[in-house]
Every structure is written in structure tokens, then in C-alpha cells.
């Protein structure tokens, strides 16, 4: 009963996302691959227009997380920062499915890990996977200030190793959500391993799923773009998940394990 109940809850959450996506994601188009013929909405912190400003005003962020995001986007690798619309989506989805154990693949300064931690109850756990401690150290003071640091467990090694370690430790089918926002060529492997770790009703959230429109550009053939194309195809074709691909920020893919 619990398993099927949580599947139903997860599917309801997916429906909620689909129903509300116009509000979250409609903005003046920002980025477009030259031959894709498709405009990608773009990240809100890269855009300056009245409608984006309106959306940002209504997607109210945690005050400390907002400071961390403002700090992060000024970094020379600042485009790796999750925008407020993706962060709020992560927090709300964690709350909607009653998440307690989640995985963040690709931390940078920790905006996504922070956002997921906000959606977890006391005792909840974010397994944060990255290979670059230098960037993480920039964000850790904000985690402490915001009171979420106790929920974030760092694993500084390739994420594929961390995922396999979790499986080897008997944690299969026990995680509620996995957020993927790291090296694109490894996206398919993250999905393969992550699917074993998710419980029924658990959820993948995949960032950069439209990759600035390059996924639809037939002239683009590189490892990163093909990695994103492959995970989108895998999530679409995998019979054990329900999949939704949406044009929010740089594209978000959501898959719920049935």
C-alpha cells in the first residue's frame, strides 16, 4: 500500500508540475541553437524583461539561498548556478513527495543542494556529489548561515563511484529524488545507476535537458549534447518511469519511477 500510495503521490506531483509550468516557465525566449528552430526559455538571472522580473518577484526565495545565488552567478563559472525557478521547483517537489533522502549530482557552490535541503524534514539527507571542493567551500558558509549544512553530506569523488558505493551499501530503492546537473556526457550513466537507487514514486529531476537548444540541432554532434539527448531518450523510453520534458530555464526533465 505504501509503495503504490507513494507512486500515486509522485504522479500527482508530476501532474502538478505540468499544470503549473506555464506560470513557472513562460518568459521571453533567451537562447537558441542556430539550427534548432526552437527557443529555449533561459535562466532567469540571465534575462532582463518585465515578465521575468514579475516571475522572480513571485518566486520568493529563502533569504540566505538568495544571497548564495547572487554570489554564485558572479563567479567566472557562474552559469553553473541553478536559477531560482529550478531551486524552487526542487524544494516544492521534495515537499510534495515527502522526500527524506535525496541525491544532488553536480554541486558547484551548493544552490541546488541547499534548495533540496529546504524541502526535507529534520533528519533528512542530501547526498551531494562533486569532484571540486574549491567551489563547494565558497558556498558552505551560506549553508551554515541558512541552517541546512547538517542535512548535506558531501562526497568528493566521481558521482558514478558515489552512486555505485550507495548500491554496494545496500541502499537500492531507498532514495526519494535525484537531481542531475553535472557533466553532460555522463548523464546516461547517472540515470542507469540512479534508477536502481530510486524507490517507487521516486523522482529524477534533470537540468539542462534542452542544452540551449542544441539537442534539437541536427548539426551538433559532441559528447555533451549527445549525453543530454541520450538521457532524454532513455527517460522517454524506459517503461518503469513516467517522463515529462519541459521548457523551463535551460530545460528540465522529470521522471517518476512507477
Amino acid at each position: 500500500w505504501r509503495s503504490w500510495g507513494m507512486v500515486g503521490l509522485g504522479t500527482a506531483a508530476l501532474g502538478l508540475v505540468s499544470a503549473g509550468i506555464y506560470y513557472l516557465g513562460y518568459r521571453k525566449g533567451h537562447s537558441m541553437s542556430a539550427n534548432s528552430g526552437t527557443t529555449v526559455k533561459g535562466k532567469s538571472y540571465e534575462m532582463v524583461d518585465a515578465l521575468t522580473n514579475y516571475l522572480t518577484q513571485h518566486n520568493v526565495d529563502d533569504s540566505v539561498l538568495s544571497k548564495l545565488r547572487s554570489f554564485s552567478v558572479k563567479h567566472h563559472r557562474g552559469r553553473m548556478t541553478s536559477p531560482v525557478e529550478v531551486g524552487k521547483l526542487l524544494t516544492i517537489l521534495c515537499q510534495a513527495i515527502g522526500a527524506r533522502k535525496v541525491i544532488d549530482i553536480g554541486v558547484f557552490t551548493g544552490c541546488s543542494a541547499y534548495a533540496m535541503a529546504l524541502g526535507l524534514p529534520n533528519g533528512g539527507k542530501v547526498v551531494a556529489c562533486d569532484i571540486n571542493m574549491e567551489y563547494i567551500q565558497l558556498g558552505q558558509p551560506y549553508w551554515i548561515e541558512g541552517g541546512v549544512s547538517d542535512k548535506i553530506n558531501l562526497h568528493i569523488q566521481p558521482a558514478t563511484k558515489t552512486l555505485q558505493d550507495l548500491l554496494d551499501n545496500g541502499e537500492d530503492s531507498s532514495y526519494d529524488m535525484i537531481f542531475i546537473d553535472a557533466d553532460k556526457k555522463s548523464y546516461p550513466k547517472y540515470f542507469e545507476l540512479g534508477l536502481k537507487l530510486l524507490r517507487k514514486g521516486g523522482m529524477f529531476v534533470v537540468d539542462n535537458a534542452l542544452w540551449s537548444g542544441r539537442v534539437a540541432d541536427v548539426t551538433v554532434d559532441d559528447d555533451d549534447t549527445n549525453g543530454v539527448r541520450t538521457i532524454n531518450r532513455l527517460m522517454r523510453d524506459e517503461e518503469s518511469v513516467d517522463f515529462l520534458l519541459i521548457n523551463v530555464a535551460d530545460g528540465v526533465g522529470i521522471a517518476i519511477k512507477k
Side-chain angles (χ1 to χ4, degrees), residues 225-244:
T225 303
N226 288 331
V228 178
R229 287 172 176 149
T230 299
I231 194 173
N232 287 338
R233 184 178 69 251
L234 289 172
M235 291 191 291
R236 180 197 66 190
D237 295 344
E238 173 58 51
E239 294 183 356
S240 67
V241 304
D242 285 326
F243 176 53
L244 172 68

Side-chain angles (χ1 to χ4, degrees), residues 163-183:
L163 297 178
Q164 188 60 57
D165 287 347
L166 296 175
L167 289 169
D168 293 343
N169 289 336
E171 296 191 56
D172 54 295
S173 302
S174 68
Y175 281 83
D176 302 297
M177 184 184 292
I178 300 174
F179 179 56
I180 302 177
D181 185 17
D183 58 308

Side-chain angles (χ1 to χ4, degrees), residues 177-242:
M177 184 184 292
I178 300 174
F179 179 56
I180 302 177
D181 185 17
D183 58 308
K184 310 311 170 194
K185 65 183 180 182
S186 297
Y187 269 28
K189 188 64 174 179
Y190 299 148
F191 177 72
E192 175 191 339
L193 294 170
L195 190 59
K196 301 173 184 178
L197 287 164
L198 279 183
R199 62 164 172 83
K200 288 184 178 180
M203 182 180 296
F204 283 103
V205 181
V206 179
D207 203 13
N208 305 119
L210 297 178
W211 202 223
S212 298
R214 288 189 288 273
V215 291
D217 187 341
V218 297
T219 69
V220 176
D221 183 21
D222 59 73
D223 289 344
D224 287 340
T225 303
N226 288 331
V228 178
R229 287 172 176 149
T230 299
I231 194 173
N232 287 338
R233 184 178 69 251
L234 289 172
M235 291 191 291
R236 180 197 66 190
D237 295 344
E238 173 58 51
E239 294 183 356
S240 67
V241 304
D242 285 326

Side-chain angles (χ1 to χ4, degrees), residues 3-171:
S3 294
W4 284 107
M6 294 309 289
V7 171
L9 182 59
T11 303
L14 184 58
L16 177 64
V17 171
S18 181
I21 209 63
Y22 182 90
Y23 176 79
L24 278 168
Y26 180 77
R27 295 187 303 275
K28 180 182 177 182
H30 174 71
S31 56
M32 180 171 66
S33 181
N35 296 294
S36 69
T38 302
T39 300
V40 178
K41 298 303 181 187
K43 299 179 179 182
S44 58
Y45 57 70
E46 298 176 320
M47 304 171 67
V48 181
D49 62 79
L51 186 54
T52 299
N53 185 54
Y54 180 85
L55 285 164
T56 302
Q57 289 175 350
H58 287 76
N59 288 330
V60 180
D61 209 356
D62 174 88
S63 60
V64 180
L65 177 53
S66 180
K67 289 196 299 182
L68 173 57
R69 183 173 288 108
S70 296
F71 167 79
S72 300
V73 297
K74 297 172 185 175
H75 192 276
H76 72 278
R77 301 297 300 275
R79 204 169 184 279
M80 295 195 297
T81 306
S82 297
V84 62
E85 57 271 23
V86 173
K88 290 291 291 187
L89 183 63
L90 290 172
T91 301
I92 288 172
L93 288 176
C94 283
Q95 294 169 334
I97 66 172
R100 296 188 64 87
K101 291 173 61 179
V102 301
I103 300 172
D104 181 21
I105 302 176
V107 179
F108 187 40
T109 59
C111 288
S112 53
Y114 191 125
M116 296 176 85
L118 285 176
L120 303 183
N122 291 335
K125 177 177 72 171
V126 181
V127 175
C129 307
D130 210 301
I131 58 173
N132 192 317
M133 192 64 195
E134 177 185 351
Y135 297 154
I136 292 171
Q137 287 175 332
L138 298 174
Q140 283 181 312
Y142 295 90
W143 300 355
I144 295 169
E145 181 183 352
V148 300
S149 60
D150 289 346
K151 296 180 181 178
I152 303 173
N153 298 337
L154 289 172
H155 293 253
I156 308 302
Q157 61 182 7
T160 50
K161 184 177 188 315
T162 297
L163 297 178
Q164 188 60 57
D165 287 347
L166 296 175
L167 289 169
D168 293 343
N169 289 336
E171 296 191 56

